[in-house]
Amino acid sequence: MTGQDEVDRIVEAWERERPDLDVDPLRVFSRVSRLARHLDLARRAAFAQHGLEVWEFDVLSALRRAGAPYELTPGTLLTQTLVSSGTMTNRIDRLVDHGLVLRHSAPGDRRVVLVRLTERGQEIVDAAMTDLLAREAALLDRLRPGEDAELAATLRTLLTPFEN
């Protein structure tokens, strides 16, 4: 077979050693798992180029996606980034120290705290996002026209049950 990858070799070995098992799921999920590791490395490299850790990008991008004035409550941020309250407090403190976000009271209700993206934070998250998308687009260039949309739809079908 031409174009064999490591997953093909793993599957062949399992088929040889355990012919009683249907190892077809490995053909998909081992590739998804291995691809996820490569994508994680590409993300880390894109963010590191802009002085960011993955978690910093996650928080900054949540604020950027919120739209002007690019602010959210810490509770909304922790929901979007799937971390605990204590972890989010620590992350916000560190981002404040780096001048990437500001923490302030909501107008009209000083009990509500808002986290706002600074101009510097916006510049950094925008540059990191641009770099990330360029890297990811380069990976998708290997696909034929339309295959990316087909792949996205197929992956959505698999992912949806976990997120609903």
Side-chain angles (χ1 to χ4, degrees):
M1 175 191 270
T2 61
Q4 262 197 335
D5 64 7
E6 187 60 23
V7 173
D8 290 321
R9 290 183 276 284
I10 291 168
V11 168
E12 287 172 4
W14 276 116
E15 287 175 330
R16 181 186 68 244
E17 295 301 316
R18 291 292 310 272
D20 58 307
L21 294 177
D22 176 7
V23 295
D24 279 348
L26 289 178
R27 297 177 198 284
V28 173
F29 294 111
S30 290
R31 286 185 175 94
V32 168
S33 177
R34 294 171 77 84
L35 183 58
R37 281 184 255 158
H38 290 291
L39 291 174
D40 184 55
L41 292 172
R43 291 174 68 90
R44 289 178 188 280
F47 303 152
Q49 189 169 350
H50 301 281
L52 295 175
E53 296 288 335
V54 173
W55 68 265
E56 291 172 309
F57 179 82
D58 288 345
V59 174
L60 297 176
S61 66
L63 291 166
R64 182 66 169 98
R65 291 189 313 267
Y70 310 112
E71 62 185 19
L72 296 169
T73 64
T76 301
L77 282 170
L78 69 92
T79 299
Q80 289 190 18
T81 59
L82 303 174
V83 299
S84 70
S85 178
T87 298
M88 183 52 66
T89 298
N90 179 274
R91 289 179 176 186
I92 292 168
D93 289 344
R94 291 174 63 186
L95 291 168
V96 167
D97 291 345
H98 292 120
L100 302 175
V101 302
L102 298 171
R103 186 187 277 127
H104 66 93
S105 297
D109 190 349
R110 298 180 55 84
R111 296 170 296 168
V112 176
V113 173
L114 294 171
V115 178
R116 178 180 286 187
L117 194 60
T118 64
E119 187 175 323
R120 180 171 176 257
Q122 182 177 342
E123 290 169 2
I124 289 173
V125 73
D126 283 354
M129 185 65 177
T130 299
D131 190 13
L132 173 65
L133 290 174
R135 291 168 190 254
E136 290 180 349
L139 292 171
L140 291 176
D141 280 347
R142 297 178 180 124
L143 300 177
R144 291 186 305 276
E147 280 185 326
D148 57 339
E150 185 179 329
L151 178 59
T154 301
L155 292 172
R156 181 184 305 110
T157 299
L158 292 174
L159 186 59
T160 301
F162 294 100
E163 297 189 344
N164 289 334

